[in-house]
Amino acid sequence: MNTQHCQTCSYWDQSHGLEMTSLGAIAPCIRHAPAHYNLGVAAAEGGDGTGALARYRRAVELEPRYAEAWCNMGVILKGRGRLGEAIAAYESALAA
């Protein structure tokens, strides 16, 4: 069994797989919204809008008042022409 430790929140995750990046192996804590947000930013910067949306969605599931994640979701959704969803994401960012 591969056990990983989240350095930010001290949560031990016994089932999470590793993701390889240029910095080496990273295992984001499954309960740490900023980890998902940061991976969303990296995905967006790498041109993976679908992956970014998934990470931002997970971040706001964990922390519903995560304004930055809502806003970044809005940017991607707007770029894809999904204006109703983009507006809802921006409104959630403003309400956070």
Side-chain angles (χ1 to χ4, degrees), residues 4-54:
Q4 299 300 316
H5 182 255
C6 176
Q7 297 296 321
T8 305
C9 68
S10 300
Y11 173 71
W12 284 94
D13 175 19
Q14 298 183 4
S15 63
H16 203 75
L18 294 177
E19 294 193 31
M20 298 305 293
T21 70
S22 61
L23 300 176
I26 297 176
C29 176
I30 59 173
R31 297 191 316 183
H32 191 65
H36 290 282
Y37 172 79
N38 288 335
L39 289 170
V41 170
E45 289 176 354
D48 181 10
T50 300
L53 280 174

Side-chain angles (χ1 to χ4, degrees), residues 21-88:
T21 70
S22 61
L23 300 176
I26 297 176
C29 176
I30 59 173
R31 297 191 316 183
H32 191 65
H36 290 282
Y37 172 79
N38 288 335
L39 289 170
V41 170
E45 289 176 354
D48 181 10
T50 300
L53 280 174
R55 292 299 187 160
Y56 295 145
R57 283 194 176 105
R58 182 65 182 136
V60 298
E61 286 172 6
L62 294 168
E63 195 174 315
R65 298 181 59 86
Y66 206 142
E68 294 89 346
W70 283 116
C71 187
N72 286 5
M73 283 175 53
V75 170
I76 292 172
L77 292 165
K78 179 180 177 264
R80 292 179 170 201
R82 295 164 57 182
L83 300 182
E85 293 173 83
I87 290 169

